[in-house]
């Protein structure tokens, strides 16, 4: 009852635009609010059972290995099991972990756990998540927590890292912006931790703050530029197109694959339409001083790589993506004008061509066709040529791909598919 009253009070405050909770389904009780926040935070994508099951407690038993530039790190069990989970934690302990990245015993957590974003959550939100996690059945599942190689296995080193790259602090709404914008800002910068993948990292794995959401390589993919830049960012996408992509895993321009397909499946496809719109509204707002995009010139059509690539494209790709590169909306993504194809880094295009790709699963959209793998039909030089071609045909412009880069991606996919 008390929880309901508090939730109702939060609802009224939200209507007045005084808290970032606006638009959350706040007429439910605390644990139900926590259940939704867990969706916003995509917790299951990392903490679920590595065998792929994620219903109920299975979404939180841990054991999945997260790839970082420093090695792999296994996620812990966050069900309320007293021995192997967080069953003995208090709400204070939980807030401290989410807000500061510190465990009850004082040990530092690694930022593979995105506490650098979760710190933006107000106490009421972490309490709600904690209440929800405590409604789950406790599951015994001990996880080896110390898999990082030396020297990264020294948790105390996070003290220095935090001093350099971490600014704890709850989200502060901007009173000059609409409640919708603030809600979007809260989700993107807080629980949604979009920058954890979309902001490029420095050599120590810290966010390059000056290139917020500018895109960067990630686990053998390239997380796209999410700024309003026209060629590689989402400046030409409408609010509706962004929301549709997040809800269905695709829109008329693009399809989510790899790590973004997981974000869609476990998080954005399950968000409310109002929240998806709020995210889109926030992303469409250019930051105050956006760096000017570097001018790009396409390779000329007579370039040998372009000629070889075009012949391969006509032979292998055109049947689906069409001669003009426009594709078939929501079936075969367009490559002409595509953001994914023109990113600074070529990881995603190389991976997709070598390995093929399957669409994101969303309960709102029928499954779309998959793309077959070409790794066994194209050698490194041909792979480089056809990807160079799609990056520079039809008005596209992006750095050429080399055979060496194709070979490296092939090797990486052999080790870690
Ligand atoms: C991108 C992957 C990722 C996401 C998303 C994620 N976590 Fe984690 N989480 C981790 C990893 C990895 C660790 C272990 C870090 C370490 O050992 O230093 C961790 C640790 C934790 C811990 C500390 C547990 C302990 O025993 O030390 C808690 C609590 C936690 N996560 C809760 C959450 C909640 C709640 C969410 C969603 C709001 C969430 N996590 C989302 C990867 C993730
Ligand atoms: C686990 C890493 C990860 C997280 C977290 C993540 N993304 Fe992504 N995102 C990616 C990758 C990788 C791609 C490229 C996917 C592809 O090429 O199919 C992508 C693509 C996108 C695209 C499509 C852009 C384009 O030009 O095609 C949008 C929009 C997007 N993400 C929005 C978001 C938002 C909003 C969030 C936070 C709620 C988010 N992402 C969180 C990894 C991530
Ligand atoms: C049988 C049909 C088919 C053929 C042939 C094909 N593709 Fe695809 N391609 C697809 C589908 C379907 C997707 C989207 C998969 C998804 O939903 O993630 C896709 C996705 C892509 C993407 C990612 C686009 C994005 O927005 O995420 C690229 C790049 C791409 N294909 C390039 C190529 C190239 C280059 C060739 C030829 C070597 C080729 N494709 C041949 C069907 C095909």
């Amino acid at each position: 009852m008390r929880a309901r009253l508090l939730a109702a009070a939060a609802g009224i405050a939200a209507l007045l635009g005084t808290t970032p909770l606006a638009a959350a389904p706040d007429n439910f009780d605390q644990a139900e609010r926590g259940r939704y926040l867990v969706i916003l935070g995509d917790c299951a994508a990392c903490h679920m059972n590595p065998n792929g099951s994620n219903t109920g407690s299975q979404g939180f038993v841990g054991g999945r290995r997260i790839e970082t530039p420093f090695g792999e790190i296994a996620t812990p069990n966050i069900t309320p099991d007293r021995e192997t989970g967080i069953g003995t934690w208090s709400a204070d302990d939980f807030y401290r972990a989410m807000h500061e990245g510190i465990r009850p015993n004082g040990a530092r957590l690694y930022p593979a756990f995105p506490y650098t974003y979760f710190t933006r959550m107000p106490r009421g939100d972490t309490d709600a998540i904690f209440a929800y996690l405590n409604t789950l059945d406790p599951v015994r599942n001990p996880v080896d927590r110390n898999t990082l190689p030396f020297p990264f296995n020294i948790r105390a080193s996070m003290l220095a890292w935090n001093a350099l790259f971490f600014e704890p602090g709850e989200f502060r709404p901007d009173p000059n912006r609409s409640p919708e914008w603030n809600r979007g800002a809260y989700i993107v910068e807080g629980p949604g931790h979009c920058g954890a993948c979309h902001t490029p990292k420095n050599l120590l794995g810290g966010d390059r703050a000056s290139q917020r959401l500018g895109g960067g390589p990630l686990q053998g993919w390239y997380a796209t530029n999410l700024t309003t830049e026209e060629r590689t960012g989402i400046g030409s996408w409408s609010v509706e197109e962004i929301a549709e992509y997040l809800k269905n895993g695709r829109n008329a321009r693009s399809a989510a694959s790899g790590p973004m397909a997981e974000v869609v499946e476990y998080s954005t496809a399950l968000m409310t339409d109002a929240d998806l719109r709020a995210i889109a509204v926030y992303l469409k707002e250019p930051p105050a001083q956006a760096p000017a995009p570097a001018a790009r010139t396409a390779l000329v059509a007579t370039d040998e790589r372009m000629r070889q690539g075009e012949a391969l494209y006509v032979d292998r790709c055109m049947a689906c993506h069409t001669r003009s590169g426009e594709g078939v909306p929501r079936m075969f993504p367009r490559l002409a004008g595509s953001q994914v194809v023109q990113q600074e880094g070529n990881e995603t295009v190389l991976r997709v061509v070598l390995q093929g790709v399957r669409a994101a699963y969303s309960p709102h959209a029928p499954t779309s066709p998959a793309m077959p793998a070409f790794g066994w039909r194209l050698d490194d030089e041909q792979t480089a040529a056809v990807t160079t071609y799609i990056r520079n045909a039809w008005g596209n412009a992006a750095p050429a791909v080399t055979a060496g880069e194709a070979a490296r991606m092939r090797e990486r996919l052999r080790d870690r598919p």
Side-chain angles (χ1 to χ4, degrees):
M1 188 58 205
R2 198 176 126 75
R4 269 175 211 281
L5 281 177
L6 284 175
I12 292 162
L15 284 176
L16 297 172
T18 52
T19 89
L21 305 180
D26 28 39
N27 45 345
F28 293 90
D29 61 12
Q30 192 190 30
E32 192 53 24
R33 226 163 56 70
R35 192 189 61 80
Y36 185 72
L37 283 158
V38 154
I39 289 170
L40 292 187
D42 203 14
C43 318
C46 292
H47 286 276
M48 70 184 198
N49 192 319
N51 74 11
S53 70
N54 71 321
T55 37
S57 295
Q58 291 302 310
F60 307 92
V61 295
R64 253 197 136 183
R65 286 176 161 249
I66 308 296
E67 181 187 332
T68 80
F70 313 107
E72 285 189 350
I73 175 164
T75 56
N77 179 349
I78 55 169
T79 72
D81 183 56
R82 294 183 67 85
E83 245 177 82
T84 65
I86 60 170
T88 58
W89 290 31
S90 66
D92 282 342
D93 292 336
F94 188 76
Y95 178 71
R96 193 154 172 243
M98 299 288 281
H99 190 70
E100 293 177 64
I102 300 178
R103 304 190 71 218
N105 67 4
R108 308 269 154 179
L109 290 158
Y110 294 108
F113 164 48
Y115 65 87
T116 48
Y117 291 83
F118 294 159
T119 188
R120 303 281 170 260
M121 288 198 224
R123 177 72 196 241
D125 280 8
T126 67
D127 281 356
I129 293 178
F130 187 64
Y132 170 69
L133 293 175
N134 273 306
T135 66
L136 299 169
D137 290 333
V139 175
R140 200 188 136 69
N141 183 36
V143 170
D144 177 7
R145 302 286 299 276
N146 298 305
T147 53
L148 287 180
F150 181 82
F152 307 112
N153 58 347
I154 303 171
R155 287 188 179 267
S157 61
M158 291 313 300
L159 203 68
W161 192 95
N162 283 338
L164 287 170
F165 307 120
F166 175 46
E167 210 180 290
E170 293 178 8
F171 177 76
R172 295 271 161 266
D174 179 345
N176 298 318
R177 306 280 197 158
S178 68
E180 189 176 45
W181 185 94
N182 275 303
R183 175 71 183 167
Y186 173 62
I187 297 173
V188 169
E189 309 297 344
H193 66 277
C194 313
C197 296
H198 286 277
T199 296
K201 305 288 177 267
N202 60 33
L203 280 178
L204 292 173
D207 281 358
R208 287 188 197 276
S210 62
Q211 296 168 43
R212 224 185 107 266
L213 298 179
L218 170 87
Q219 301 171 357
W221 295 83
Y222 194 88
T224 46
N225 182 344
L226 279 193
T227 70
T228 51
E229 209 266 294
E230 291 278 331
R231 184 182 287 283
T232 60
I234 51 175
S236 62
W237 294 32
S238 67
V239 164
E240 289 72 25
E241 284 175 320
I242 298 171
E244 182 189 353
Y245 177 96
L246 296 172
K247 186 178 173 109
N248 297 344
R250 78 183 78 109
N251 59 19
R253 295 165 177 271
S254 190
S257 32
M260 191 62 201
E262 291 201 356
V263 172
V264 171
E265 180 167 352
Y266 302 115
S267 181
T268 58
L270 309 174
M271 291 183 192
T272 63
D273 289 346
D275 277 351
L276 294 178
R277 218 194 121 77
I279 291 175
V281 164
Y282 173 66
L283 289 177
K284 285 294 286 180
E285 203 64 39
Q289 338 88 327
R296 278 197 189 163
T297 16
L299 295 182
V300 290
T302 49
D303 185 294
E304 185 44 37
R305 293 164 293 184
M306 288 297 279
R307 289 190 8 197
Q308 193 197 351
E310 180 169 17
L312 286 162
Y313 182 83
V314 168
D315 192 30
R316 312 291 174 100
C317 323
M318 186 182 93
C320 295
H321 292 286
T322 74
R323 185 70 188 90
S324 62
E326 275 170 29
V328 179
R330 295 179 183 79
M331 281 259 281
F332 303 121
R334 63 179 300 144
L335 305 180
S338 155
Q339 275 69 42
V340 169
V341 171
Q342 298 179 86
Q343 293 301 307
E344 190 62 35
N346 53 36
E347 287 85 350
T348 300
V349 270
L350 275 176
R351 177 191 274 267
V352 165
V353 169
L354 289 172
Q355 193 180 40
V357 67
R358 196 164 283 288
Y361 169 78
S362 162
H364 313 291
T367 321
S368 71
M371 161 146 162
F374 286 88
W376 57 284
R377 283 174 277 192
L378 298 175
D379 65 21
D380 293 334
E381 204 192 314
Q382 290 170 318
T383 305
V386 77
T387 49
T388 295
Y389 174 73
I390 61 172
R391 276 158 75 76
N392 290 278
W394 320 294
N396 285 359
V401 182
T402 67
E405 287 169 323
R408 271 196 297 283
M409 179 56 78
R410 201 188 285 277
E411 214 168 284
R412 139 138 215 159
L413 294 176
R414 204 173 297 136
D415 297 344
R416 282 170 297 182

